[in-house]
Each structure stands twice: as structure tokens, then as C-alpha cells.
Amino acid sequence: MKAVVAGYGLNCSKDLLVFAEAFGSVCKELRIELFAGGYQGVFEAAMNANTHNTLVLEKERIAHVPAQFPAQIISVSSTPEKHLELAKRADCAFVLGGGQGSVKVANAFIQSNKPVFVFKNTGGAADQLSGEPVYELQEATQENIRQALSILKQ
């Protein structure tokens, strides 16, 4: 299973970083490969807790990724291409907070008719997105994520 994590890169609350780390840990337990379009904030917290990670980044941003960042990197030429590439490579997206970039990633999944799972009450994009195929989750527990992923098998 492959999933995108989308959310705040910068200006995250400590609580949201803890939540993202818990999400990454559950993904590790469930052997979910995480994809992201950024390497700070929510992305970093989730990916540090997981073992199978892939970043999809614009070519000019790759040099800024810390050498020890736990992910392989796929290079793209533009931000719109990044959003489309994330939607092409992953089965679904999970949104934890986030700004306009997270909305654009979610829209790429929606246009591809792939599910978007939003963690409500994490702010930003997660609290704004609604309608099919957007599903609301409350907590980053193994059971909630397992139930969310069961939608993909239907």
C-alpha cells in the first residue's frame, strides 16, 4: 500500500508533529509506504517514524533535503507536476492540517478518483476539504487507518 502524507511543512504545532509521528508509526506497523512533497514539519515527523518513504520534489529543492532524511527521492520539474506524480504513485492521501499545497495535492487525488482521508481538527486543509472521495478520520490509530484503507479494497 502506498499513501501520501500531506500537511504543514512549516509552522506546525508541537501537537500536530506528535500526531504526525503517531501516524507514521501506524503506517510502519501496517507496512504502508509513505510519499510526500516536502521534508519538514508533518512530512518529517511521519517519515522519521516510518521505514519506507519516498519524496517527490522539485529539482531545485533536492539540494536542501538533509542527507540523513529517511527517504528515496524522485525529482520533478515543477510543483504542479509534483502533485500529479504523487497522485499517480500512491493509492490514497492522508491530510494532517496543511495549506494550499495540501489542498492541491488532495485535488489531484480527487481528480484521479482516489480517496483522500482528512484528520479533522488538525486545521487548515484538513478542516476545509469535504465531499467524495474525502473521508473524515478523528485519530491516527491503527484501527482507524486500517478501516480507511479497507475502502481501497472495495
Side-chain angles (χ1 to χ4, degrees), residues 57-107:
L57 286 179
E58 300 87 341
K59 199 176 306 181
E60 66 273 8
R61 293 182 63 204
I62 292 173
H64 303 287
V65 178
Q68 74 279 11
F69 197 84
Q72 68 175 354
I73 300 174
I74 296 170
S75 174
V76 294
S77 60
S78 68
T79 302
E81 182 184 354
K82 173 178 71 175
H83 298 150
L84 294 173
E85 190 67 23
L86 288 166
K88 182 175 98 177
R89 290 183 177 266
D91 303 303
C92 62
F94 288 89
V95 182
L96 294 78
Q100 287 305 306
S102 296
V103 170
K104 290 175 181 176
V105 169
N107 284 335

Side-chain angles (χ1 to χ4, degrees), residues 4-66:
V4 164
V5 59
Y8 292 114
L10 298 173
N11 303 320
C12 294
S13 70
K14 187 170 183 135
D15 288 343
L16 188 56
L17 294 175
V18 170
F19 190 88
E21 184 177 353
F23 170 75
S25 293
V26 171
C27 289
K28 179 180 179 180
E29 291 171 27
L30 297 174
R31 296 190 173 136
I32 296 170
E33 181 178 356
L34 286 179
F35 284 74
Y39 55 90
Q40 297 172 307
V42 164
F43 313 111
E44 181 178 18
M47 289 187 157
N48 279 336
N50 196 19
T51 50
H52 301 296
N53 303 308
T54 301
L55 288 178
V56 178
L57 286 179
E58 300 87 341
K59 199 176 306 181
E60 66 273 8
R61 293 182 63 204
I62 292 173
H64 303 287
V65 178

Side-chain angles (χ1 to χ4, degrees), residues 10 29 63 65 70-71 100 110 135 138 141 144:
L10 298 173
E29 291 171 27
V65 178
Q100 287 305 306
I110 292 166
Y135 302 90
Q138 298 301 321
T141 64
N144 281 351

